[in-house]
Amino acid sequence: MTQVSSPSAKGRREPGEVFGNGFTLFADMLLVGLLTSATCLPVVTAPAAFAAASATLRPAAGHGAPVGTAAYLAHLRARLSVASLAGGLLAPVLVVILLIDMGLLDSALPGAPAVALALVLLVLGAAVVALRATALQAPHRLSVREALLRSAADPRGTLLLAAGVVLAGLLAWSIPLLIPLLPGPLAFAATVVDIRSAPHHGSG
């Protein structure tokens, strides 16, 4: 007797889901990466954009839940505030530091390589702390202090996230076309690190 197999749940799409489940996680990161890149264009919206990306990807990271554009926009609206916009001003400061760093590397000043290395580590550390801050949930949303505490308390997660930032930087330098997609994997990495290191397994 021939059995007719019904379509599996894996083949169906959930309401609001853009991609099929066979490619869900990777596609979700690409979608969120594009949304985050577009939202970061005004620069000052970058903290809220990355925080919304982390909040959108958290259910996918924890339970494999689908991701939708509407969910990202709702999280973005909830995280846009005067404080988050003020925090977005730090991004241009980091760019200035990087430009100074590049200038030092090309100069013949005594101690320039050591200063350049220190600036690179400073920028890397700031990027890691910023990513951890955007992955925090209430009541610690976008708290730099809490991000610093968790970075110090979880050196393994901090090193993993730093490696992700370095890899993203190398990809952006070697394949500029990937730049609009990179915020998605970075936000996902920060979310996973926060889930595994947060008190009570990411609650709070």
Side-chain angles (χ1 to χ4, degrees):
M1 183 175 178
T2 305
Q3 282 187 332
V4 179
S5 59
S6 60
S8 64
K10 290 183 178 181
R12 295 197 296 266
R13 296 185 184 184
E14 298 292 335
E17 187 177 8
V18 177
F19 299 96
N21 282 338
F23 207 50
T24 298
L25 185 55
F26 183 65
D28 285 346
M29 286 192 295
L30 296 185
L31 172 63
V32 171
L34 288 172
L35 291 171
T36 305
S37 293
T39 310
C40 283
L41 288 178
V43 181
V44 292
T45 55
F50 272 88
S54 176
T56 305
L57 289 170
R58 186 174 288 267
H63 312 290
V67 168
T69 303
Y72 178 87
L73 295 177
H75 287 303
L76 178 65
R77 285 193 296 270
R79 284 156 178 80
L80 278 173
S81 64
V82 175
S84 69
L85 293 175
L89 296 175
L90 293 176
V93 173
L94 290 178
V95 171
V96 171
I97 293 175
L98 283 174
L99 291 175
I100 295 173
D101 189 34
M102 293 172 62
L104 286 173
L105 288 174
D106 293 334
S107 70
L109 293 174
V115 176
L117 177 60
L119 287 175
V120 168
L121 294 177
L122 175 64
V123 171
L124 179 60
V128 169
V129 172
L131 282 172
R132 293 197 78 140
T134 59
L136 295 174
Q137 292 183 294
H140 302 299
R141 285 181 183 172
L142 296 175
S143 170
V144 175
R145 179 179 178 275
E146 183 68 17
L148 283 169
L149 291 174
R150 295 195 187 185
S151 296
D154 179 32
R156 183 181 178 187
T158 300
L159 288 174
L160 288 172
L161 195 51
V165 172
V166 171
L167 179 60
L170 291 174
L171 287 173
W173 174 73
S174 59
I175 314 175
L177 289 175
L178 293 180
I179 291 176
L181 303 175
L182 294 177
L186 284 174
F188 183 78
T191 304
V192 171
V193 167
D194 183 68
I195 289 174
R196 63 177 289 276
S197 66
H200 308 297
H201 195 63
S203 65

